[in-house]
Amino acid sequence: MPRIQRRLMIALAALVIAVSITTGFWVDRSLRARELGHLERLLGASARAVVELVRDVPFDAAHEHELTELARRASLATGTRVTLIAPDGSVVADSELRSEDLASFGNHANRPEVAAALAGDPGADTRRSETVGRPLLYVAVPRPPGVVRVATDLAPIDAATAELRSALLAGGAITLAAALLLSYLISHALLRPLGAFHAALARLSAGELGARVRWRSNDELGDLARAFDGMAEDLEQGQSAIVAERDRLAAVLSVMVEGVLVVDAEERIVLANPRLRELLGIRGEIEGLRPLAAVRNADVDDALRAALAESQPVHREIALAGVERRVLAVHAASFAIGDAKGAVAVFHDMTEVRRLETVRRDFVANASHEIKTPLTAIRGFAETLLGSELPASDARSYLEIILKHSERLSRLVEDLLELSRLESGKFTLEPEPLDVGVLAAKLCRELEPRLRERGVSVRIAAEGAPRAFADASAVEQILQNLLDNAIKYSDSDREIEVRVRVEGDDVRIDVADQGLGIPEADRARIFERFYRVDRGRSREQGGTGLGLSIVKHLVQASGGEVWVESTPGVGSTFSFTLPSNFTRS
Ligand code: ADP
């Protein structure tokens, strides 16, 4: 039972009991007093009637018999005990006693009512009669010179008050039960809305913002419930606005290419977006940690500290050691919005930018070097030719060398231009159904003089005349470069095989030679620009070191892949794929 209910019931019960007791006591007292007063008046009247009856009979021993007779008659008539008392207080007659017992009855002059009557006034008293052994009401009136006293039993009054008392007790018990029931019902009715308030509050504080009291009544509780529900509604709306804002922020942060790290004024992490975790290789929860503990990089920690300490934004570039080296640019700045103070660091991945910068630097250095070599040779031989009188045969051989180097220079420039065209992304391919076997055969016919010169033969194996869907001139350029390499890096009397077949959704082309082969360490790098296994041999063969780069670009632009398998001293197989015409349709 709720405490309030118990308290209310106890209070009401106490009130009922207190009221019942006081009312009972008061009613009992006043009723008894009234009854006694009434009885006293009746007895007074009876006493006066007796006075009239015995008026002419003197109160002395000589008339004892007569007086006793009168007393008995008067007693019968009034229904009371009648006692006649002489002026000295001795009893001369009594309706309840025989004459012979009177002597032992004792003097009554000291009885309060008798004393009053002897003094001339009517007197009354209530006490227990030793003669009859019960409480009696005595009323005495003067009958000069004696006293007439009448008495009556108080038992009827006692019985009446006892009856009243038990009636009051029963009434009190019924009232008590009614009060308890009533207080229970009232407190229950009062507590019901309180229960609704309590439940709604508990749900609200547990985060269930849709909780409402929904108590409708036209009283103060109804007003309170409406005010409470209004407040909960505001809270819910405010909360959903906050949630929407938070979700928006989370959505933005989750798709950001940059890593974002936010720390508070104590340099404890309050936010880290997914990209940051990815960039810094963080797993698990890091909110609440310090950057040094979470990221394990002193530079990051340093940048954030500097940003917190300075009002200016801090820019740093940091290198992360790991499986793959990463370069990150960090921009950190402190902020103070209301009570929120801290610093935000934004991380950009600069790895690719820096790698491309290195590649470009290397490329410029390599290209300059490649151009410089033939240029130096051309210049040297031209100066020699100009500066001295040479025999015609020497002059011719010098001119041949100059021609060879200028041809190489021109090939180099052509290849560089081609590469730049491919890398610019501006070139367009025009794919069409293409029989690669036929194309290879046409190329071989064109290469016939070179093949013959090198003593190398080419065999073409095209299974089922597969058709690719590719740009003819791109595929021709790919094949030309691969065949050119196969011829360049093969000794005489060797065979080159071109195999064309369908593999899965692609057409696969292998160009296999029985040449030098490529050491494993170099295999991954030969597609890089200017990378050559044997620089001397390549140059001697008129290579530029750009052929395979061009091949790789063209194959990838055609939607295929290129790779090499090789065994040094046995031969190499360059393979590439092209989308098949069959797949397209
Ligand atoms: P290059 O003009 O030097 O041939 P490429 O880019 O075509 O340049 O080839 C790069 C390097 O790969 C060559 O210098 C050579 O060392 C190696 N290579 C290419 N093709 C073959 C092959 N068929 N056999 C052996 N080595 C090859």
Side-chain angles (χ1 to χ4, degrees):
M1 185 185 286
R3 262 174 304 171
I4 291 185
Q5 198 167 28
R6 203 167 51 218
R7 273 191 214 146
L8 197 71
M9 287 175 76
I10 291 174
L12 259 173
L15 184 72
V16 166
I17 291 170
V19 168
S20 301
I21 289 175
T22 21
T23 326
F25 189 70
W26 184 76
V27 168
D28 185 80
R29 284 286 300 270
S30 60
L31 188 86
R32 196 179 166 82
R34 235 175 63 133
E35 287 292 304
L36 273 177
H38 181 63
L39 203 59
E40 207 177 302
R41 277 192 302 280
L42 281 176
L43 285 186
S46 301
R48 279 189 294 276
V50 176
V51 167
E52 284 307 311
L53 191 70
V54 297
R55 187 188 331 194
D56 301 326
V57 187
F59 284 8
D60 53 26
H63 295 87
E64 197 185 280
H65 199 72
E66 189 187 350
L67 285 170
T68 305
E69 190 52 39
L70 283 172
R72 283 205 182 124
R73 279 186 16 220
S75 168
L76 276 175
T78 59
T80 60
R81 177 183 171 189
V82 177
T83 312
L84 302 174
I85 300 159
D88 62 350
S90 60
V91 176
V92 284
D94 190 289
S95 58
E96 311 280 312
L97 297 174
R98 285 174 297 161
S99 314
E100 48 272 33
D101 296 330
L102 285 176
S104 60
F105 201 41
N107 192 293
H108 276 49
N110 290 337
R111 306 287 199 274
E113 75 282 0
V114 175
L118 282 175
D121 291 321
D125 190 31
T126 310
R127 67 176 175 275
R128 191 180 167 82
S129 157
E130 280 154 30
T131 322
V132 292
R134 285 198 305 275
L136 297 181
L137 171 65
Y138 297 96
V139 172
V141 292
R143 203 239 54 170
V147 168
V148 170
R149 189 185 77 171
V150 291
T152 189
D153 204 333
L154 281 181
I157 293 184
D158 287 341
T161 46
E163 205 175 297
L164 181 80
R165 228 174 274 150
S166 49
L168 279 174
L169 206 66
I174 291 169
T175 319
L176 183 66
L180 284 175
L181 182 70
L182 200 67
S183 58
Y184 176 82
L185 290 177
I186 291 173
S187 54
H188 187 70
L190 281 174
L191 281 172
R192 250 185 42 213
L194 280 188
F197 272 99
H198 186 263
L201 255 176
R203 283 170 60 202
L204 269 184
S205 55
E208 209 182 307
L209 295 178
R212 298 286 180 275
V213 180
R214 287 189 222 293
W215 184 263
R216 299 287 168 257
S217 60
N218 285 326
D219 54 10
E220 287 78 3
L221 279 170
D223 294 345
L224 192 64
R226 272 187 290 280
F228 185 97
D229 286 354
M231 187 196 71
E233 185 76 39
D234 291 348
L235 200 69
E236 191 179 13
Q237 278 174 8
Q239 180 72 12
S240 52
I242 291 171
V243 168
E245 189 59 39
R246 193 193 59 198
D247 290 350
R248 245 197 311 275
L249 181 69
V252 170
L253 285 172
S254 68
V255 295
M256 271 179 78
V257 181
E258 289 86 8
V260 178
L261 184 70
V262 182
V263 295
D264 61 15
E266 271 78 50
E267 225 208 318
R268 292 196 181 280
I269 296 171
V270 287
L271 191 147
N273 73 342
R275 177 65 176 151
L276 180 101
R277 293 166 178 280
E278 190 191 317
L279 282 177
L280 300 179
I282 297 169
R283 272 188 218 96
E285 283 299 309
I286 59 165
E287 275 79 5
L289 296 180
R290 291 189 185 281
L292 196 60
V295 180
R296 303 201 176 281
N297 185 296
D299 292 334
V300 173
D301 186 52
D302 219 44
L304 282 165
R305 263 173 209 275
L308 279 174
E310 294 166 23
S311 54
Q312 296 292 316
V314 176
H315 305 286
R316 300 266 164 93
E317 190 157 304
I318 58 173
L320 295 179
V323 186
E324 51 179 304
R325 218 178 110 84
R326 272 208 161 141
V327 182
L328 302 180
V330 187
H331 298 263
S334 60
F335 66 85
I337 306 164
D339 289 343
K341 288 192 177 62
V344 185
V346 179
F347 295 73
H348 303 261
D349 191 354
M350 301 296 284
T351 318
E352 188 60 13
V353 174
R354 294 287 173 262
R355 191 187 69 78
L356 288 176
E357 278 173 5
T358 315
V359 167
R360 202 193 54 209
R361 248 196 323 271
D362 291 354
F363 176 71
V364 171
N366 284 330
S368 315
H369 182 74
E370 291 295 332
I371 290 169
K372 201 177 157 205
T373 316
L375 264 184
T376 315
I378 291 169
R379 190 176 163 183
F381 283 105
E383 277 172 359
T384 316
L385 272 173
L386 278 174
S388 55
E389 285 293 325
L390 287 172
S393 61
D394 282 0
R396 188 181 167 75
S397 79
Y398 281 17
L399 284 171
E400 275 170 359
I401 292 171
I402 287 174
L403 182 68
K404 192 178 144 210
H405 280 294
S406 49
E407 276 170 3
R408 185 163 163 233
L409 205 54
S410 123
R411 266 200 309 280
L412 195 64
V413 171
E414 267 167 30
D415 279 0
L416 279 173
L417 283 174
E418 178 64 13
L419 206 56
S420 129
R421 188 179 74 90
L422 295 178
E423 283 185 348
S424 73
K426 286 192 187 124
F427 78 106
T428 43
L429 293 174
E430 280 162 22
E432 56 183 321
L434 187 71
D435 191 328
V436 186
V438 172
L439 189 73
K442 187 192 109 190
L443 262 176
C444 286
R445 278 197 297 281
E446 285 169 16
L447 283 169
E448 196 57 52
R450 256 198 89 197
L451 288 168
R452 223 181 300 129
E453 179 196 324
R454 301 276 306 175
V456 177
S457 60
V458 179
R459 200 155 64 85
I460 297 168
E463 288 171 18
R467 279 171 170 276
F469 186 71
D471 182 291
S473 64
V475 178
E476 187 175 333
Q477 212 178 338
I478 296 166
L479 276 175
Q480 191 156 26
N481 270 304
L482 293 180
L483 282 170
D484 186 52
N485 279 353
I487 298 166
K488 269 194 293 191
Y489 303 106
S490 292
D491 293 329
S492 51
D493 301 334
R494 297 295 157 99
E495 189 177 71
I496 297 168
E497 191 179 14
V498 179
R499 295 187 289 266
V500 186
R501 65 180 185 276
V502 172
E503 195 174 84
D505 291 341
D506 300 320
V507 172
R508 173 176 163 167
I509 301 104
D510 296 330
V511 177
D513 64 47
Q514 296 168 349
L516 303 173
I518 304 159
E520 183 164 9
D522 300 298
R523 249 172 259 162
R525 300 197 60 192
I526 52 167
F527 292 97
E528 287 175 21
R529 291 174 293 194
F530 296 119
Y531 190 86
R532 284 174 283 203
V533 179
D534 181 346
R535 228 161 240 284
R537 175 149 186 153
S538 164
R539 273 210 200 110
E540 192 189 302
Q541 300 287 334
T544 60
L546 296 173
L548 286 180
S549 299
I550 294 170
V551 165
K552 192 174 176 186
H553 267 291
L554 286 169
V555 170
Q556 284 177 346
S558 304
E561 277 178 78
V562 62
W563 67 97
V564 65
E565 281 159 17
S566 180
T567 312
V570 177
S572 314
T573 302
F574 282 83
S575 311
F576 66 99
T577 56
L578 292 171
S580 76
N581 189 43
F582 175 74
T583 325
R584 199 184 65 93
S585 55

